[in-house]
């Protein structure tokens, strides 16, 4: 197994935390219902902001000037996939919680 450098590990952690917040923004859209509804793409400002955050994160990780300013290093494709999978768990788990809550309420409302 290949050992990661400290800088690579810190960059991966930083990127994962940023992506956690991107996915968490979707959780804030619906307290009890699913965020994946027919209005999912309707908030243009939200989408522009999230795209901006992701683009800035890519620049911080891959543009040498920004790497120097932020102390980051380039991530591999596998690193990005890992960061997205881990960070998306906040959305997936919250969607599961809301689904269970809705089912629970239907059962006990009847």
């Amino acid at each position: 197994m290949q050992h990661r450098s400290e800088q690579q590990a810190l960059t991966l952690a930083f990127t994962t935390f940023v992506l956690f917040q991107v996915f968490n923004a979707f959780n804030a859209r619906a307290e009890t219902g699913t965020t994946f509804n027919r209005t999912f793409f309707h908030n243009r400002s939200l989408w522009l902001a999230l795209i901006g955050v992701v683009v800035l994160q890519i620049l911080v990780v891959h543009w040498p000037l920004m790497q120097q300013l932020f102390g980051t290093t380039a991530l591999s494709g596998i690193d990005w996939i890992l960061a997205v999978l881990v960070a998306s768990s906040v959305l997936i788990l919250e969607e599961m919680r809301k689904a269970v809550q809705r089912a629970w309420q239907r059962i006990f409302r009847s």
Side-chain angles (χ1 to χ4, degrees):
M1 182 172 166
Q2 184 179 6
H3 295 287
R4 297 188 175 279
S5 70
E6 183 179 351
Q7 188 179 27
Q8 179 123 6
L10 289 170
T11 301
L12 181 56
F14 173 51
T15 300
T16 303
F17 286 131
V18 168
L19 294 175
F20 263 123
Q21 292 309 309
V22 168
F23 285 105
N24 201 40
F26 294 111
N27 285 337
R29 295 185 72 240
E31 189 173 326
T32 56
T34 181
T35 195
F36 301 106
N37 55 40
R38 61 186 168 156
T39 64
F40 186 70
F41 294 105
H42 289 193
N43 190 336
R44 182 179 174 156
S45 297
L46 175 63
W47 282 102
L48 289 173
L50 294 178
I51 290 167
V53 166
V54 172
V55 167
L56 288 172
Q57 186 63 26
I58 291 168
L59 289 174
V60 164
V61 170
H62 291 285
W63 187 20
L65 176 64
M66 298 298 271
Q67 286 176 331
Q68 199 171 28
L69 286 171
F70 285 88
T72 59
T73 188
L75 295 177
S76 69
I78 297 296
D79 291 331
W80 279 100
I81 290 169
L82 179 62
V84 168
L85 288 175
V86 170
S88 66
S89 67
V90 71
L91 177 59
I92 293 165
L93 291 172
E94 180 63 7
E95 284 294 310
M96 289 171 55
R97 183 200 64 79
K98 289 188 284 189
V100 167
Q101 182 181 22
R102 288 189 306 271
W104 188 266
Q105 287 173 347
R106 279 193 301 272
I107 290 169
F108 289 102
R109 230 186 276 161
S110 303

